[in-house]
Amino acid sequence: MKKIIITIDGYSSCGKSTLAKKIAKDLNYVFVDSGAMYRAVTHYFLKNHLDWTIPEQVVDAINHISLKFEYNAQNGTSDILLNGENVEAAIREMIINENVSDVAAIKEVRDFTVAEQQKNAIEKGIVMDGRDIGTVVFPNAELKIFLTASPEARVERRYKQLLAQGKQVTREEVRLNNEKRDYIDTHREISPLRKAADAIEIDNTHLTTLEQEKLVMDMVFEKLKN
Ligand code: DC
């Protein structure tokens, strides 16, 4: 059966990964969380006390970073490995949320991560979520989704997700972090977050996860028919 590339881009906390995981599972495709790669690079900088505003330190860091995804049978998804170490939990901490957009704006970092992301697509059958997947990473993807939701819904979802993970955080902190990341992600010089001209926009504020999954799966079947 024909396999396609599906991209899911959008602002922070819109539920991109949740949707991408479900679609990948339904189709038996590979799911790639590109944000996890920027988070892992940020973790590397922080852990090694490196300064990402110093170009030599950025180049040195990238030369020492290897990123891989490993299947996690417990939750049926993939965990990210940074130089062989599973950093899936560490990259979801607030300290990473606070710094990742600055790191993701650096050209050398993006050159590295985009090249890694593109390696995944040799065989197609992939669902990747992020900010520039439909515009830069896979401009020829067969199906591009641009996911949005109201700022209030996004804060509420991320807040509940962090609480469920046992994190100490307030709604206000989540709101400020979402706003800050969206601002940096849409205003950076290199591949800023944009809706691709041929992307389909879905506002999921009032959709259940099941409803949005069905909506996208209908789009997938339509693409596979043609
Ligand atoms: O999707 P996420 O929240 O895990 O992404 C973390 C950060 O990484 C996000 O604030 C911006 C950056 N990012 C990016 O610049 N390009 C991508 N394709 C994915 C994420």
Side-chain angles (χ1 to χ4, degrees):
M1 196 179 178
K2 179 180 151 188
K3 287 192 169 184
I4 62 172
I5 296 180
I6 302 166
T7 66
I8 303 179
D9 288 303
Y11 299 99
S12 293
S13 314
C14 278
K16 299 181 297 295
S17 297
T18 305
L19 174 62
K21 275 181 207 165
K22 288 206 184 303
I23 301 300
K25 192 157 181 258
D26 291 345
L27 292 165
N28 202 15
Y29 278 19
V30 173
F31 158 63
V32 179
D33 174 357
S34 70
M37 300 170 82
Y38 294 95
R39 288 172 177 271
V41 172
T42 306
H43 177 70
Y44 184 90
F45 277 111
L46 292 171
K47 199 176 113 187
N48 294 289
H49 309 288
L50 295 169
D51 183 346
W52 54 78
T53 64
I54 301 174
E56 294 75 29
Q57 296 202 12
V58 172
V59 173
D60 189 51
I62 286 167
N63 286 336
H64 288 91
I65 291 178
S66 131
L67 298 176
K68 288 205 167 52
F69 285 95
E70 179 183 66
Y71 184 69
N72 178 335
Q74 249 174 4
N75 54 20
T77 175
S78 296
D79 289 349
I80 192 157
L81 304 185
L82 167 66
N83 295 335
E85 183 195 348
N86 189 323
V87 291
E88 191 58 40
I91 63 164
R92 308 292 164 191
E93 294 292 334
M94 271 315 267
I95 179 88
I96 303 291
N97 288 344
E98 275 152 21
N99 292 289
V100 63
S101 286
D102 289 326
V103 172
I106 301 168
K107 182 181 181 303
E108 289 74 13
V109 171
R110 301 203 75 83
D111 287 347
F112 168 68
T113 47
V114 169
E116 291 294 309
Q117 288 153 17
Q118 288 171 338
K119 281 185 202 161
N120 288 281
I122 294 162
E123 306 243 342
K124 294 223 175 184
I126 182 166
V127 187
M128 192 177 294
D129 81 302
R131 304 293 188 289
D132 60 340
I133 312 303
T135 50
V136 174
V137 181
F138 299 128
N140 299 321
E142 287 85 352
L143 179 61
K144 300 180 184 178
I145 306 293
F146 190 82
L147 208 55
T148 67
S150 73
E152 297 74 22
R154 293 161 49 202
V155 169
E156 204 52 31
R157 288 176 194 161
R158 180 55 59 100
Y159 174 68
K160 286 193 177 138
Q161 187 188 41
L162 290 167
L163 281 198
Q165 292 167 359
K167 309 256 161 71
Q168 296 277 328
V169 68
T170 64
R171 281 191 177 80
E172 185 58 9
E173 282 167 337
V174 175
R175 186 182 69 76
L176 289 172
N177 181 254
N178 276 356
E179 277 178 8
K180 179 184 159 193
R181 287 204 286 147
D182 287 346
Y183 184 85
I184 300 174
D185 295 343
T186 50
H187 286 80
R188 67 179 175 229
E189 218 172 291
I190 308 139
S191 35
L193 166 62
R194 294 262 184 282
K195 179 182 165 215
D198 52 350
I200 302 166
E201 185 164 334
I202 299 177
D203 181 338
N204 68 14
T205 308
H206 302 294
L207 295 179
T208 63
T209 48
L210 199 63
E211 283 166 342
Q212 75 168 355
E213 179 184 356
K214 191 176 172 315
L215 194 67
V216 174
M217 283 306 287
D218 287 346
M219 292 174 190
V220 172
F221 290 134
E222 202 53 40
K223 288 282 170 194
L224 290 174
K225 255 196 325 202
N226 299 329

Short mmCIF file of all heavy atoms in Angstrom, two decimals, residues 87-117:
data_model
loop_
_atom_site.label_atom_id
_atom_site.label_comp_id
_atom_site.label_asym_id
_atom_site.label_seq_id
_atom_site.Cartn_x
_atom_site.Cartn_y
_atom_site.Cartn_z
N VAL A 87 16.53 10.46 27.72
CA VAL A 87 16.32 11.76 28.40
C VAL A 87 14.86 12.22 28.26
O VAL A 87 14.55 13.38 28.42
CB VAL A 87 17.28 12.85 27.85
CG1 VAL A 87 18.72 12.56 28.26
CG2 VAL A 87 17.16 13.00 26.33
N GLU A 88 13.98 11.26 27.96
CA GLU A 88 12.57 11.59 27.71
C GLU A 88 11.94 12.38 28.88
O GLU A 88 11.22 13.35 28.65
CB GLU A 88 11.79 10.30 27.43
CG GLU A 88 10.40 10.49 26.92
CD GLU A 88 10.29 11.31 25.63
OE1 GLU A 88 11.13 11.14 24.72
OE2 GLU A 88 9.36 12.11 25.53
N ALA A 89 12.23 11.96 30.11
CA ALA A 89 11.63 12.66 31.27
C ALA A 89 12.30 14.02 31.47
O ALA A 89 11.63 15.04 31.67
CB ALA A 89 11.76 11.81 32.52
N ALA A 90 13.62 14.04 31.37
CA ALA A 90 14.37 15.28 31.64
C ALA A 90 13.99 16.41 30.69
O ALA A 90 13.93 17.58 31.08
CB ALA A 90 15.87 15.00 31.55
N ILE A 91 13.68 16.08 29.44
CA ILE A 91 13.41 17.14 28.45
C ILE A 91 12.01 17.74 28.60
O ILE A 91 11.67 18.68 27.89
CB ILE A 91 13.61 16.66 26.99
CG1 ILE A 91 12.62 15.54 26.63
CG2 ILE A 91 15.05 16.24 26.76
CD1 ILE A 91 12.50 15.29 25.14
N ARG A 92 11.19 17.19 29.50
CA ARG A 92 9.84 17.74 29.71
C ARG A 92 9.80 18.68 30.91
O ARG A 92 8.73 19.16 31.29
CB ARG A 92 8.81 16.61 29.90
CG ARG A 92 8.84 15.54 28.82
CD ARG A 92 8.36 16.04 27.48
NE ARG A 92 8.75 15.14 26.39
CZ ARG A 92 8.65 15.42 25.09
NH1 ARG A 92 8.19 16.58 24.71
NH2 ARG A 92 9.03 14.56 24.18
N GLU A 93 10.95 18.93 31.55
CA GLU A 93 11.00 19.81 32.72
C GLU A 93 10.81 21.27 32.30
O GLU A 93 11.13 21.64 31.17
CB GLU A 93 12.37 19.67 33.42
CG GLU A 93 12.63 18.31 34.05
CD GLU A 93 11.73 18.00 35.24
OE1 GLU A 93 11.26 18.96 35.89
OE2 GLU A 93 11.49 16.81 35.51
N MET A 94 10.31 22.10 33.25
CA MET A 94 10.07 23.52 32.95
C MET A 94 11.34 24.25 32.52
O MET A 94 11.30 25.15 31.68
CB MET A 94 9.46 24.23 34.17
CG MET A 94 7.94 24.21 34.24
SD MET A 94 7.05 24.58 32.72
CE MET A 94 6.76 26.34 32.84
N ILE A 95 12.49 23.85 33.06
CA ILE A 95 13.75 24.52 32.71
C ILE A 95 14.02 24.38 31.19
O ILE A 95 14.55 25.30 30.56
CB ILE A 95 14.94 23.95 33.56
CG1 ILE A 95 16.26 24.60 33.20
CG2 ILE A 95 15.09 22.46 33.46
CD1 ILE A 95 16.57 25.84 33.96
N ILE A 96 13.59 23.26 30.64
CA ILE A 96 13.75 23.06 29.18
C ILE A 96 12.73 23.93 28.44
O ILE A 96 13.07 24.63 27.48
CB ILE A 96 13.58 21.58 28.79
CG1 ILE A 96 14.57 20.69 29.55
CG2 ILE A 96 13.70 21.39 27.28
CD1 ILE A 96 16.03 20.84 29.16
N ASN A 97 11.48 23.93 28.91
CA ASN A 97 10.45 24.79 28.30
C ASN A 97 10.92 26.24 28.24
O ASN A 97 10.66 26.96 27.28
CB ASN A 97 9.15 24.76 29.12
CG ASN A 97 8.42 23.45 28.99
OD1 ASN A 97 8.69 22.66 28.09
ND2 ASN A 97 7.49 23.20 29.89
N GLU A 98 11.62 26.65 29.29
CA GLU A 98 12.02 28.06 29.37
C GLU A 98 13.14 28.42 28.40
O GLU A 98 13.29 29.58 28.05
CB GLU A 98 12.45 28.39 30.81
CG GLU A 98 11.25 28.74 31.68
CD GLU A 98 11.48 28.41 33.14
OE1 GLU A 98 12.64 28.30 33.56
OE2 GLU A 98 10.47 28.23 33.84
N ASN A 99 13.93 27.44 28.00
CA ASN A 99 15.11 27.76 27.18
C ASN A 99 15.07 27.22 25.75
O ASN A 99 15.85 27.65 24.91
CB ASN A 99 16.37 27.23 27.88
CG ASN A 99 16.64 28.00 29.17
OD1 ASN A 99 17.03 29.16 29.12
ND2 ASN A 99 16.40 27.37 30.30
N VAL A 100 14.19 26.25 25.50
CA VAL A 100 14.27 25.54 24.22
C VAL A 100 14.06 26.43 22.99
O VAL A 100 14.71 26.23 21.96
CB VAL A 100 13.31 24.31 24.21
CG1 VAL A 100 11.85 24.71 24.34
CG2 VAL A 100 13.51 23.46 22.98
N SER A 101 13.20 27.42 23.08
CA SER A 101 12.96 28.24 21.89
C SER A 101 14.18 29.07 21.52
O SER A 101 14.41 29.33 20.33
CB SER A 101 11.74 29.15 22.09
OG SER A 101 10.58 28.36 22.02
N ASP A 102 14.96 29.47 22.52
CA ASP A 102 16.20 30.21 22.21
C ASP A 102 17.19 29.29 21.49
O ASP A 102 17.84 29.69 20.53
CB ASP A 102 16.84 30.75 23.50
CG ASP A 102 16.02 31.90 24.09
OD1 ASP A 102 15.44 32.67 23.29
OD2 ASP A 102 15.97 32.02 25.32
N VAL A 103 17.30 28.07 21.98
CA VAL A 103 18.24 27.12 21.36
C VAL A 103 17.76 26.75 19.94
O VAL A 103 18.56 26.67 19.00
CB VAL A 103 18.39 25.85 22.24
CG1 VAL A 103 19.20 24.77 21.54
CG2 VAL A 103 19.03 26.22 23.58
N ALA A 104 16.44 26.61 19.80
CA ALA A 104 15.88 26.21 18.49
C ALA A 104 15.99 27.32 17.45
O ALA A 104 15.76 27.09 16.27
CB ALA A 104 14.42 25.79 18.65
N ALA A 105 16.34 28.52 17.88
CA ALA A 105 16.47 29.63 16.92
C ALA A 105 17.87 29.70 16.31
O ALA A 105 18.11 30.49 15.40
CB ALA A 105 16.13 30.96 17.62
N ILE A 106 18.79 28.87 16.80
CA ILE A 106 20.19 28.93 16.34
C ILE A 106 20.36 28.14 15.04
O ILE A 106 19.97 26.97 14.95
CB ILE A 106 21.14 28.35 17.43
CG1 ILE A 106 20.98 29.15 18.73
CG2 ILE A 106 22.58 28.35 16.97
CD1 ILE A 106 21.64 28.50 19.94
N LYS A 107 20.97 28.79 14.04
CA LYS A 107 21.08 28.19 12.71
C LYS A 107 21.78 26.82 12.75
O LYS A 107 21.29 25.85 12.16
CB LYS A 107 21.85 29.13 11.77
CG LYS A 107 21.95 28.59 10.36
CD LYS A 107 22.74 29.51 9.45
CE LYS A 107 22.79 28.95 8.04
NZ LYS A 107 23.35 27.61 7.94
N GLU A 108 22.93 26.74 13.44
CA GLU A 108 23.70 25.49 13.46
C GLU A 108 22.89 24.36 14.10
O GLU A 108 23.01 23.20 13.69
CB GLU A 108 25.02 25.67 14.24
CG GLU A 108 26.05 26.52 13.54
CD GLU A 108 25.73 28.02 13.55
OE1 GLU A 108 24.83 28.43 14.32
OE2 GLU A 108 26.37 28.76 12.79
N VAL A 109 22.09 24.71 15.09
CA VAL A 109 21.26 23.69 15.74
C VAL A 109 20.22 23.20 14.74
O VAL A 109 20.01 21.99 14.57
CB VAL A 109 20.57 24.27 17.01
CG1 VAL A 109 19.52 23.30 17.56
CG2 VAL A 109 21.61 24.60 18.07
N ARG A 110 19.57 24.13 14.04
CA ARG A 110 18.52 23.73 13.09
C ARG A 110 19.10 22.93 11.91
O ARG A 110 18.50 21.98 11.44
CB ARG A 110 17.74 24.94 12.56
CG ARG A 110 17.05 25.76 13.63
CD ARG A 110 15.89 26.56 13.09
NE ARG A 110 14.74 25.73 12.81
CZ ARG A 110 13.85 25.34 13.72
NH1 ARG A 110 13.96 25.72 14.97
NH2 ARG A 110 12.84 24.57 13.37
N ASP A 111 20.28 23.33 11.44
CA ASP A 111 20.89 22.58 10.33
C ASP A 111 21.06 21.12 10.74
O ASP A 111 20.78 20.20 9.97
CB ASP A 111 22.27 23.17 9.96
CG ASP A 111 22.13 24.51 9.24
OD1 ASP A 111 21.00 24.85 8.82
OD2 ASP A 111 23.15 25.21 9.11
N PHE A 112 21.52 20.93 11.96
CA PHE A 112 21.76 19.58 12.47
C PHE A 112 20.45 18.79 12.63
O PHE A 112 20.32 17.67 12.13
CB PHE A 112 22.50 19.70 13.82
CG PHE A 112 22.57 18.43 14.60
CD1 PHE A 112 23.33 17.35 14.16
CD2 PHE A 112 21.87 18.30 15.81
CE1 PHE A 112 23.38 16.17 14.90
CE2 PHE A 112 21.92 17.13 16.55
CZ PHE A 112 22.68 16.07 16.10
N THR A 113 19.48 19.40 13.30
CA THR A 113 18.24 18.65 13.58
C THR A 113 17.43 18.39 12.30
O THR A 113 16.89 17.30 12.13
CB THR A 113 17.36 19.40 14.60
OG1 THR A 113 17.27 20.76 14.21
CG2 THR A 113 17.91 19.34 16.00
N VAL A 114 17.39 19.38 11.41
CA VAL A 114 16.62 19.19 10.16
C VAL A 114 17.22 18.05 9.34
O VAL A 114 16.50 17.20 8.81
CB VAL A 114 16.51 20.52 9.36
CG1 VAL A 114 15.97 20.27 7.96
CG2 VAL A 114 15.63 21.52 10.10
N ALA A 115 18.56 18.00 9.27
CA ALA A 115 19.21 16.91 8.53
C ALA A 115 18.85 15.56 9.15
O ALA A 115 18.56 14.59 8.45
CB ALA A 115 20.72 17.12 8.50
N GLU A 116 18.84 15.50 10.47
CA GLU A 116 18.48 14.25 11.17
C GLU A 116 17.02 13.88 10.88
O GLU A 116 16.70 12.72 10.64
CB GLU A 116 18.65 14.42 12.69
CG GLU A 116 20.07 14.53 13.16
CD GLU A 116 20.86 13.25 12.93
OE1 GLU A 116 20.40 12.18 13.32
OE2 GLU A 116 21.95 13.34 12.33
N GLN A 117 16.15 14.90 10.89
CA GLN A 117 14.72 14.64 10.64
C GLN A 117 14.50 14.11 9.23
O GLN A 117 13.71 13.20 9.02
CB GLN A 117 13.92 15.93 10.86
CG GLN A 117 13.82 16.33 12.32
CD GLN A 117 13.64 17.83 12.52
OE1 GLN A 117 13.29 18.56 11.60
NE2 GLN A 117 13.88 18.29 13.73
#
